[in-house]
Amino acid sequence: MVEKIYIVRHGFRMNWVTTSWKSATGLPRDPPLAALGEAQAQECASYFLSLPENERPTAIFSSPYYRCLQTASPVSAALGIPIFVEHGLSEWYSPVEPNTGLHPRPGPASSLEPYFPGQISSDWDSIHYPSRLGETVDEVLVRVETFLQDFLPLRPKGERLLIVSHAATIAALVRLLSGERDMPVRIGCCSLSQFHKNGNTWTRVKTADGSHLSGGSLRDWGFQDIEVDHGRVVNDPGVPGSENEKNEPVGSVVSKNLNVNVTSSL
């Protein structure tokens, strides 16, 4: 079984600094890190490298969005461990406004590997996909809960995981691993949450901690910050021109995934 889970949000985004930014991958709504975010990612790498070897992460699972992979990259380089791309850890989008298309979806690991050569591993196929139609607050919690139920039994005994994701997805992870579905939590850029396995439950050691960052925790966000109307963020359109694109796969695909190694159970 997994021994420890470290969870880090991506660093400070370029689009928070300027409107003149370019997506490295060409995907809409996929901004890179700002210089501050890159520095935060390096500080995360220094923090994990400072841990005793038997406490350091042994594998990284990252959202496929570029800013998350950028955040994971210095840790991967410092510790010499792979990055596995998992769509179940993707950004949260609220349900799309009618007739506005679909939300974006990054490509598979093979399409992202050229941006991070030698770091992204092909030895993992994503086991969960959020709908491109978006999710209500309840649905993102169900997505993350289903992902964890599918994911954790697939990982080997004694593994120490680093998950790199987004504020909403991490807030859901923290709530669910803590066993507090309505827990108020705010997630800052490159903040660290940490859980240790304790029998059949998870013990929360850190929650959105920014003490490893020279500037502390910045740009924190929680579900309590959203403007909600019937469980959705108000006015969340899709990507123009995506109306005829496919919204698949959606949900758990673990039974179809032939490239995972089932070695343990919860």
Side-chain angles (χ1 to χ4, degrees):
M1 65 182 68
V2 175
E3 176 185 331
K4 290 182 174 69
I5 299 177
Y6 300 98
I7 309 173
V8 169
R9 185 187 176 190
H10 62 74
F12 205 89
R13 290 162 45 164
M14 177 70 79
N15 65 314
W16 294 336
V17 176
T18 176
T19 57
S20 299
W21 61 271
K22 182 179 179 181
S23 170
T25 63
L27 184 76
R29 303 179 192 169
D30 193 16
L33 296 180
L36 172 58
E38 292 178 346
Q40 290 173 322
Q42 290 290 344
E43 288 182 313
C44 283
S46 296
Y47 169 76
F48 286 117
L49 192 59
S50 74
L51 295 178
E53 191 168 352
N54 65 352
E55 294 182 15
R56 298 172 187 171
T58 53
I60 303 170
F61 281 82
S62 175
S63 159
Y65 282 82
Y66 191 75
R67 57 191 177 275
C68 289
L69 296 170
Q70 273 188 295
T71 303
S73 178
V75 184
S76 172
L79 302 186
I81 58 176
I83 301 171
F84 299 109
V85 173
E86 174 52 58
H87 281 254
L89 300 171
S90 287
E91 178 68 284
W92 170 55
Y93 294 112
S94 186
V96 293
E97 291 290 340
N99 304 312
T100 63
L102 302 174
H103 291 304
R105 173 177 286 172
S110 59
S111 71
L112 299 168
E113 195 279 335
Y115 300 102
F116 303 92
Q119 293 188 306
I120 292 180
S121 174
S122 61
D123 293 335
W124 178 264
D125 294 331
S126 288
I127 63 170
H128 201 101
Y129 290 83
S131 172
R132 295 186 63 190
L133 292 172
E135 302 162 303
T136 64
V137 174
D138 286 341
E139 285 169 345
V140 70
L141 285 166
V142 170
R143 183 241 297 184
V144 174
E145 184 174 43
T146 304
F147 166 73
L148 286 173
Q149 290 171 350
D150 286 345
F151 174 70
L152 291 175
L154 298 176
R155 304 312 304 162
K157 183 178 180 180
E159 190 168 45
R160 300 181 295 275
L161 298 178
L162 169 59
I163 289 174
V164 183
S165 188
H166 310 264
T169 307
I170 292 175
L173 284 165
V174 169
R175 286 179 172 192
L176 293 165
L177 288 169
S178 300
E180 300 178 42
R181 204 177 189 90
D182 297 318
M183 174 185 177
V185 61
R186 299 177 65 88
I187 311 296
C189 290
C190 277
S191 64
L192 172 64
S193 299
Q194 181 177 338
F195 292 83
H196 293 179
K197 188 69 173 178
N198 184 16
N200 293 323
T201 62
W202 290 95
T203 298
R204 189 172 70 250
V205 179
K206 292 185 178 183
T207 306
D209 180 71
S211 62
H212 58 291
L213 303 170
S214 58
S217 183
L218 301 173
R219 195 89 182 196
D220 56 343
W221 184 95
F223 284 113
Q224 59 269 36
D225 296 325
I226 63 177
E227 184 181 358
V228 173
D229 179 14
H230 300 294
R232 54 171 288 169
V233 175
V234 175
N235 296 326
D236 198 0
V239 176
S242 65
E243 291 82 357
N244 295 321
E245 294 180 6
K246 293 183 178 180
N247 179 33
E248 57 183 45
V250 173
S252 174
V253 295
V254 67
S255 62
K256 301 176 183 177
N257 187 336
L258 303 179
N259 197 28
V260 296
N261 182 21
V262 181
T263 56
S264 66
S265 65
L266 286 172

Short mmCIF file of all heavy atoms in Angstrom, two decimals, residues 1 8 23 27 39 41 52 56 85 103 107 120 144 151 159 175 181 185 199 201 214 222 238-239 246 258:
data_model
loop_
_atom_site.label_atom_id
_atom_site.label_comp_id
_atom_site.label_asym_id
_atom_site.label_seq_id
_atom_site.Cartn_x
_atom_site.Cartn_y
_atom_site.Cartn_z
N MET A 1 0.85 -1.19 0.00
CA MET A 1 0.00 0.00 0.00
C MET A 1 0.88 1.24 0.00
O MET A 1 2.05 1.20 0.40
CB MET A 1 -0.93 0.01 1.21
CG MET A 1 -0.23 0.12 2.55
SD MET A 1 -1.35 0.08 3.97
CE MET A 1 -1.93 -1.61 3.87
N VAL A 8 1.01 18.86 -3.91
CA VAL A 8 1.48 20.22 -4.17
C VAL A 8 0.64 20.84 -5.28
O VAL A 8 0.40 20.20 -6.32
CB VAL A 8 2.97 20.22 -4.58
CG1 VAL A 8 3.41 21.58 -5.12
CG2 VAL A 8 3.84 19.83 -3.38
N SER A 23 0.50 29.79 -24.77
CA SER A 23 0.48 28.40 -24.32
C SER A 23 1.58 27.62 -25.03
O SER A 23 1.63 27.57 -26.26
CB SER A 23 -0.88 27.76 -24.63
OG SER A 23 -0.84 26.37 -24.41
N LEU A 27 -2.67 24.52 -26.16
CA LEU A 27 -3.98 24.22 -25.58
C LEU A 27 -4.56 25.49 -24.96
O LEU A 27 -3.89 26.19 -24.21
CB LEU A 27 -3.85 23.15 -24.50
CG LEU A 27 -5.15 22.67 -23.86
CD1 LEU A 27 -5.89 21.74 -24.81
CD2 LEU A 27 -4.87 21.97 -22.54
N ALA A 39 10.30 29.79 -9.63
CA ALA A 39 11.10 29.84 -8.41
C ALA A 39 10.46 29.00 -7.30
O ALA A 39 11.15 28.30 -6.55
CB ALA A 39 11.27 31.29 -7.95
N ALA A 41 8.61 26.38 -7.74
CA ALA A 41 8.82 24.97 -8.09
C ALA A 41 10.22 24.52 -7.68
O ALA A 41 10.42 23.39 -7.19
CB ALA A 41 8.60 24.76 -9.58
N PRO A 52 15.06 13.32 4.61
CA PRO A 52 15.80 12.05 4.62
C PRO A 52 15.37 11.19 3.44
O PRO A 52 14.21 11.24 3.01
CB PRO A 52 15.38 11.43 5.96
CG PRO A 52 14.94 12.58 6.81
CD PRO A 52 14.33 13.58 5.86
N ARG A 56 11.51 10.85 1.11
CA ARG A 56 11.32 11.56 -0.15
C ARG A 56 10.32 10.83 -1.04
O ARG A 56 10.19 9.60 -0.98
CB ARG A 56 12.65 11.67 -0.90
CG ARG A 56 13.71 12.46 -0.18
CD ARG A 56 15.04 12.37 -0.90
NE ARG A 56 16.12 12.99 -0.13
CZ ARG A 56 17.41 12.90 -0.44
NH1 ARG A 56 17.79 12.18 -1.50
NH2 ARG A 56 18.31 13.49 0.32
N VAL A 85 1.69 11.05 -15.93
CA VAL A 85 0.60 11.97 -16.26
C VAL A 85 -0.73 11.29 -15.98
O VAL A 85 -0.99 10.17 -16.45
CB VAL A 85 0.69 12.40 -17.73
CG1 VAL A 85 -0.54 13.22 -18.13
CG2 VAL A 85 1.96 13.20 -17.98
N HIS A 103 -14.97 22.20 -22.59
CA HIS A 103 -13.74 22.65 -21.95
C HIS A 103 -12.54 21.96 -22.60
O HIS A 103 -12.67 20.89 -23.20
CB HIS A 103 -13.78 22.33 -20.46
CG HIS A 103 -14.80 23.13 -19.70
ND1 HIS A 103 -14.81 24.50 -19.72
CD2 HIS A 103 -15.83 22.75 -18.89
CE1 HIS A 103 -15.79 24.95 -18.96
NE2 HIS A 103 -16.44 23.90 -18.46
N GLY A 107 -3.40 16.68 -24.08
CA GLY A 107 -3.14 15.42 -24.77
C GLY A 107 -2.58 14.36 -23.84
O GLY A 107 -2.38 14.59 -22.64
N ILE A 120 8.91 12.56 -18.21
CA ILE A 120 7.56 11.98 -18.27
C ILE A 120 7.66 10.52 -18.72
O ILE A 120 8.24 10.21 -19.75
CB ILE A 120 6.67 12.78 -19.23
CG1 ILE A 120 6.40 14.17 -18.65
CG2 ILE A 120 5.36 12.05 -19.48
CD1 ILE A 120 5.52 15.04 -19.51
N VAL A 144 -12.87 12.87 -7.85
CA VAL A 144 -11.65 12.64 -7.08
C VAL A 144 -11.80 11.40 -6.19
O VAL A 144 -10.86 10.60 -6.06
CB VAL A 144 -11.30 13.89 -6.26
CG1 VAL A 144 -10.12 13.61 -5.33
CG2 VAL A 144 -10.95 15.05 -7.19
N PHE A 151 -7.25 4.29 -7.92
CA PHE A 151 -5.82 4.54 -8.03
C PHE A 151 -4.98 3.88 -6.95
O PHE A 151 -3.98 3.21 -7.23
CB PHE A 151 -5.58 6.05 -8.03
CG PHE A 151 -4.15 6.48 -7.99
CD1 PHE A 151 -3.32 6.29 -9.08
CD2 PHE A 151 -3.63 7.09 -6.86
CE1 PHE A 151 -2.00 6.70 -9.06
CE2 PHE A 151 -2.31 7.51 -6.82
CZ PHE A 151 -1.49 7.31 -7.92
N GLU A 159 5.18 2.80 -1.31
CA GLU A 159 5.42 3.93 -2.20
C GLU A 159 5.09 5.24 -1.51
O GLU A 159 4.16 5.34 -0.71
CB GLU A 159 4.59 3.78 -3.48
CG GLU A 159 4.97 4.78 -4.56
CD GLU A 159 4.34 4.44 -5.90
OE1 GLU A 159 3.13 4.12 -5.90
OE2 GLU A 159 5.03 4.49 -6.91
N ARG A 175 -9.96 17.05 1.44
CA ARG A 175 -11.21 16.74 2.13
C ARG A 175 -11.44 15.23 2.23
O ARG A 175 -11.77 14.70 3.29
CB ARG A 175 -12.38 17.37 1.38
CG ARG A 175 -12.52 18.88 1.52
CD ARG A 175 -13.71 19.36 0.71
NE ARG A 175 -14.01 20.77 0.94
CZ ARG A 175 -15.13 21.37 0.52
NH1 ARG A 175 -16.03 20.68 -0.15
NH2 ARG A 175 -15.33 22.65 0.76
N ARG A 181 -15.70 15.70 4.22
CA ARG A 181 -16.14 16.08 2.88
C ARG A 181 -16.46 17.57 2.74
O ARG A 181 -16.36 18.12 1.65
CB ARG A 181 -17.37 15.25 2.50
CG ARG A 181 -17.59 15.10 1.00
CD ARG A 181 -18.78 14.22 0.70
NE ARG A 181 -18.87 13.92 -0.71
CZ ARG A 181 -18.31 12.88 -1.30
NH1 ARG A 181 -17.59 12.04 -0.58
NH2 ARG A 181 -18.45 12.68 -2.60
N VAL A 185 -10.97 24.49 3.33
CA VAL A 185 -9.53 24.50 3.13
C VAL A 185 -9.21 25.42 1.97
O VAL A 185 -9.97 25.52 1.01
CB VAL A 185 -9.01 23.06 2.86
CG1 VAL A 185 -9.65 22.47 1.61
CG2 VAL A 185 -7.49 23.04 2.74
N GLY A 199 -3.13 2.48 9.29
CA GLY A 199 -4.11 1.42 9.22
C GLY A 199 -4.96 1.56 7.97
O GLY A 199 -4.45 1.57 6.86
N THR A 201 -6.89 4.21 7.45
CA THR A 201 -7.20 5.63 7.28
C THR A 201 -5.93 6.41 6.97
O THR A 201 -4.82 5.89 7.04
CB THR A 201 -7.86 6.22 8.54
OG1 THR A 201 -6.94 6.11 9.65
CG2 THR A 201 -9.15 5.48 8.88
N SER A 214 9.92 30.78 0.22
CA SER A 214 10.47 32.02 0.74
C SER A 214 9.41 33.11 0.82
O SER A 214 9.46 33.98 1.70
CB SER A 214 11.65 32.50 -0.12
OG SER A 214 11.23 32.67 -1.47
N GLY A 222 -10.19 28.36 -2.27
CA GLY A 222 -11.01 27.27 -1.76
C GLY A 222 -12.38 27.31 -2.38
O GLY A 222 -12.79 28.31 -2.99
N GLY A 238 -17.48 27.17 -22.69
CA GLY A 238 -16.53 26.25 -23.29
C GLY A 238 -15.58 26.99 -24.21
O GLY A 238 -15.57 28.22 -24.29
N VAL A 239 -14.76 26.22 -24.92
CA VAL A 239 -13.79 26.79 -25.86
C VAL A 239 -14.47 26.99 -27.21
O VAL A 239 -15.02 26.03 -27.77
CB VAL A 239 -12.57 25.87 -26.02
CG1 VAL A 239 -11.61 26.41 -27.08
CG2 VAL A 239 -11.85 25.71 -24.68
N LYS A 246 -15.31 15.54 -29.53
CA LYS A 246 -15.84 14.44 -28.72
C LYS A 246 -15.56 14.66 -27.25
O LYS A 246 -14.50 15.15 -26.87
CB LYS A 246 -15.23 13.11 -29.18
CG LYS A 246 -15.65 12.67 -30.57
CD LYS A 246 -15.06 11.32 -30.91
CE LYS A 246 -15.51 10.85 -32.29
NZ LYS A 246 -14.92 9.53 -32.64
N LEU A 258 -4.50 -1.19 -19.89
CA LEU A 258 -3.68 -2.38 -19.96
C LEU A 258 -2.23 -2.11 -19.58
O LEU A 258 -1.40 -2.99 -19.63
CB LEU A 258 -3.71 -2.97 -21.37
CG LEU A 258 -5.10 -3.33 -21.90
CD1 LEU A 258 -5.00 -3.88 -23.30
CD2 LEU A 258 -5.79 -4.32 -20.97
#
